Amino acid sequence: DFIWRVSVAEISQTSAYSVFSGIDRTQVLIAGKSLSLRSQAGLNRQLLAFQPFSFEGEQDWFAEPDGVCQMLNVMTSRADALSELALVRGNFNCVADGGHYLLAIVQGEYLAEDGSQRFVLGDFVQPQLAIGERLALSASPDGAMVVIKFSLLNK
């Protein structure tokens, strides 16, 4: 029972995905070579590094990893919220628009503009910004992050 949920899962052997009714899912391969997905309905998908793949939680996927893979998994309750994902390589700047953000550092490191905070591989950052407030992070040469924006649906 959640509105949104974010996790990192390691997949090292062939396995079935869990089914989540009423949930929209997006996955991003953040470590490993590739992950092949296939369904009983005959759908096939190969996930490569840093390419988001969205699907309904009711779909019955069977995963076949090429070696050990780490997946960033974003789930939202279809009735309550939407999520948008973007891969950012290099410096990051945004102005808060009322959405809820979560930044997942997937390569390198990031430093807050004022130098007060440093974020490294594996860190999740959930900035608490007022509407119109700016966030600026400078990246190491190999810096990359997945930016997730959650928006609540009006009921």
Side-chain angles (χ1 to χ4, degrees):
D1 188 31
F2 56 87
I3 295 175
W4 61 70
R5 178 176 140 184
V6 177
S7 62
V8 174
E10 186 171 283
I11 302 174
S12 59
Q13 60 189 18
T14 300
S15 59
Y17 268 29
S18 298
V19 172
F20 291 94
S21 296
I23 302 298
D24 289 326
R25 297 178 69 176
T26 301
Q27 293 204 316
V28 180
L29 177 67
I30 59 173
K33 292 181 183 178
S34 69
L35 181 77
S36 296
L37 294 177
R38 59 183 169 82
S39 74
Q40 290 181 5
L43 300 173
N44 292 297
R45 182 71 186 234
Q46 176 137 9
L47 305 184
L48 302 174
F50 306 124
Q51 296 177 354
F53 173 58
S54 297
F55 58 96
E56 294 178 345
E58 293 83 1
Q59 288 180 304
D60 63 331
W61 291 107
F62 194 74
E64 297 175 359
D66 182 1
V68 177
C69 295
Q70 281 189 336
M71 303 299 295
L72 176 67
N73 188 34
V74 178
M75 296 191 281
T76 56
S77 167
R78 194 172 299 128
D80 300 308
L82 297 173
S83 64
E84 300 172 63
L85 277 73
L87 176 67
V88 173
R89 292 188 184 275
N91 296 341
F92 175 73
N93 290 286
C94 79
V95 176
D97 61 2
H100 302 275
Y101 291 88
L102 183 64
L103 315 176
I105 310 303
V106 295
Q107 272 187 308
E109 62 183 55
Y110 282 81
L111 185 64
E113 185 176 53
D114 64 4
S116 65
Q117 293 179 299
R118 181 175 157 255
F119 307 105
V120 298
L121 175 66
D123 283 350
F124 284 86
V125 182
Q126 189 173 10
Q128 302 297 314
L129 303 172
I131 293 177
E133 189 175 357
R134 181 167 126 5
L135 173 65
L137 301 174
S138 58
S140 62
D142 62 340
M145 71 169 78
V146 176
V147 177
I148 308 161
K149 178 183 176 185
F150 296 102
S151 301
L152 295 175
L153 298 174
N154 295 326
K155 292 188 174 188

